[in-house]
Amino acid sequence: MLSSAQERLWFLHRLDSHDPSHNRCYSHRLRGTLDPARLSAAFARIEARHPALRTRYPDNGRGVPEAVVEPPGRLTVERLRAAGVEEAARLAACRTNTAFNLAQAPPFRVSLIELAPDDHVLVVVVHLISADEWSLRVLREEVAACYAGEPPPVPAPRPEPRRDPDLTWWTERLSGTPALDLATDRPRPAVRGTAGGEVRFDLPPALVAAVAERARTAGCTPFTVLFAAYQLLLSAHSGQFDFCVGLPSAGRGAPELERAIGCLSTTTVLRCDLSGDPDFSEVLRRTRENVRETLARPDAPVDRLIAALRLERDLSRTPLFQSLFALHTHRDAADPLPGLAAEPFAHGWHPARHDLTLDLHPKDDGGLLGVMIYSEELFDRETAERMAAQYVSLLTTGEPLTDTEPERKDTAAQPPGHTDADLVPTPGGRPALPRPRAAAGYVAPRGAVEALVAEVYGEVLDRERVGALDDFFALGGHSLSAVRVVSRLRAAVEVEVPVRALFTGPTVEAVARVVEELLVAELGRLSDEGAERLARELT
């Protein structure tokens, strides 16, 4: 049984099977006498210990994902040779940026690149559907233990499926939040990809100590201070005072889950309030209360929130929140393989799932390493470097290093393109939620393909009458039901209908047009007999 998070990841894979942005990886350069056979045995033992590393995720034939756990012993450590560091980096980047086929095999690959008999690069890649960031730390530690001849106990802890919480509080809290619209260097594309760049910067130990002291006097945690500064940075670059930010967490509240490998991490959506031009102290106070109130609630799966909030589908940006902020509290294993000198190796993977992400990692000297990941389709590297410098300035002085700021936008007043009559009142005085636009009266399907699409919409969404202008999402559809629609259409017309078609044009009319274009292309490839058979089936 898949969790809500896994179902969403499976759907996103179906939406774009060539997207590697949900890969998770680590790589180390290892100097010293390495025993490849012992390393392979260590990975094999951990693969056998954790079923998540042996699971693949096919379609059950009805557009529904299922988890199939394969028997142990199928993992092979790939052996490669490189003439130098540059070639090793290219080989590593090729592996970290290659998408998995989730249906065909468990999404877990290990590569060992030899530079010299005593110099290797280890590259480990998994898909988030099987292992989250926390899992990578567990994987590193357990492989090291097995390599040293001290294997962990068997079996590994297995998490129980979580129940979805009541979404009432969340929908009231988040209804009407405008998308974060950062000032960009280039126009936002209609369909944003995941090409990303990375800027690294340091928060020195003295500044981190000052943050901790500020937190102590304000009665909060250092996380709250660091997050308050990030909100101010986003506000300065957008001119907005109302937007959402995603806060990832490990999702391992129970102690026994700390050694589990799987997709357990969650993302809490926090609505930021910077109205009234507050100073840093006031933003800190609001953030403290906001974080306390929000984190006291059970996590709500993001895909369920998106469906409950009836958010309009927009392939130019991620739904609900467009930025992530994370403070990591655990350092990477200093000794990934005992007896070998190890150092991190650049693996070349840093896709941008969101417009902007800031990760803060602890350093041995008491400082923090900042990693700002930005969408290369939207921002130049110089812009990201400037934002990183402004973030440090905000923590130091409470003011960003900027000459001009965007005009502040009251984007929460009314969503663009909607009149007052289009808005659904929400509790608590929050901005109103756009009402899904209804078609201007019922229009019967025109032709065999529109009739087929309308029939499939009706079956999947349990609707008695579906017209040519009806919108799939306005009728109550969501990402997983979109996959079921596509699966049934593929079975009916025997052509590969892309899931993306329902997002770029979700009406019966638009989807039918895509199907017709695919059929025309397919007819050109069929024999006369095959073309006649297909034509008969559609009339």
Side-chain angles (χ1 to χ4, degrees), residues 240-511:
Q240 295 175 231
F241 55 80
D242 184 18
F243 50 85
C244 286
V245 175
L247 306 177
S249 62
R252 288 164 168 81
E256 62 270 18
L257 297 180
E258 290 187 359
R259 306 307 302 174
I261 287 179
C263 181
L264 304 181
S265 60
T266 61
T267 300
T268 299
V269 183
L270 192 141
R271 186 173 188 170
C272 306
D273 175 16
L274 285 85
S275 58
D277 198 22
D279 60 14
F280 193 98
S281 295
E282 175 59 19
V283 172
L284 182 56
R285 186 194 66 78
R286 294 183 192 180
T287 301
R288 180 189 63 201
E289 299 306 316
N290 197 359
V291 167
R292 285 177 178 173
E293 184 177 9
T294 301
L295 296 185
R297 304 280 171 172
D299 289 328
V302 170
D303 60 311
R304 300 291 190 258
L305 280 176
I306 292 170
L309 291 166
R310 304 196 303 275
L311 298 180
E312 293 184 2
R313 265 53 182 183
D314 181 357
L315 295 180
S316 71
R317 66 181 80 235
T318 50
L320 195 54
F321 58 93
Q322 294 72 46
S323 184
L324 277 175
F325 176 83
L327 173 62
H328 301 268
T329 56
H330 290 83
R331 295 177 177 84
D332 290 343
D335 191 15
L337 284 182
L340 296 167
E343 63 183 31
F345 187 81
H347 48 59
W349 179 89
H350 41 69
R353 286 299 312 170
H354 301 85
D355 292 357
L356 193 70
T357 296
L358 178 58
D359 288 286
L360 298 174
H361 301 269
K363 297 178 64 177
D364 291 338
D365 64 1
L368 289 171
L369 169 65
V371 181
M372 184 170 283
I373 299 174
Y374 60 94
S375 168
E376 291 182 329
E377 292 180 320
L378 301 177
F379 304 105
D380 294 331
R381 181 176 181 84
E382 293 75 17
T383 299
E385 290 173 341
R386 187 166 62 252
M387 285 193 282
Q390 290 170 342
Y391 180 70
V392 176
S393 174
L394 280 162
L395 288 172
T396 305
T397 67
E399 296 291 338
L401 292 172
T402 181
D403 296 329
T404 59
E405 296 183 3
E407 180 182 351
R408 293 183 66 103
K409 307 171 189 174
D410 188 4
T411 49
Q414 181 169 299
H418 291 268
T419 65
D420 291 340
D422 291 324
L423 302 180
V424 180
T426 58
R430 295 221 173 251
L433 177 67
R435 188 189 305 277
R437 294 191 180 278
Y442 174 77
V443 176
R446 299 153 296 193
V449 178
E450 282 193 2
L452 171 64
V453 175
E455 179 183 353
V456 172
Y457 275 26
E459 290 174 353
V460 171
L461 301 177
D462 194 22
R463 297 276 180 161
E464 291 186 4
R465 189 175 76 160
V466 177
L469 303 183
D470 284 339
D471 183 300
F472 177 74
F473 297 105
L475 292 174
H478 52 75
S479 57
L480 287 178
S481 56
V483 175
R484 290 196 284 273
V485 165
V486 167
S487 180
R488 296 192 187 197
L489 288 176
R490 287 172 176 170
V493 300
E494 298 182 0
V495 296
E496 285 295 310
V497 182
V499 176
R500 189 178 293 274
L502 265 77
F503 288 80
T504 55
T507 64
V508 168
E509 177 184 49
V511 173

Side-chain angles (χ1 to χ4, degrees), residues 201-216:
F201 61 97
D202 287 321
L203 300 182
L207 178 56
V208 174
V211 166
E213 177 60 22
R214 182 74 180 266
R216 188 188 65 79

Side-chain angles (χ1 to χ4, degrees), residues 74-87:
R74 300 199 174 196
L75 177 69
T76 300
V77 176
E78 180 187 30
R79 300 287 300 276
L80 302 162
R81 288 189 178 181
V85 174
E86 289 187 3
E87 184 181 358

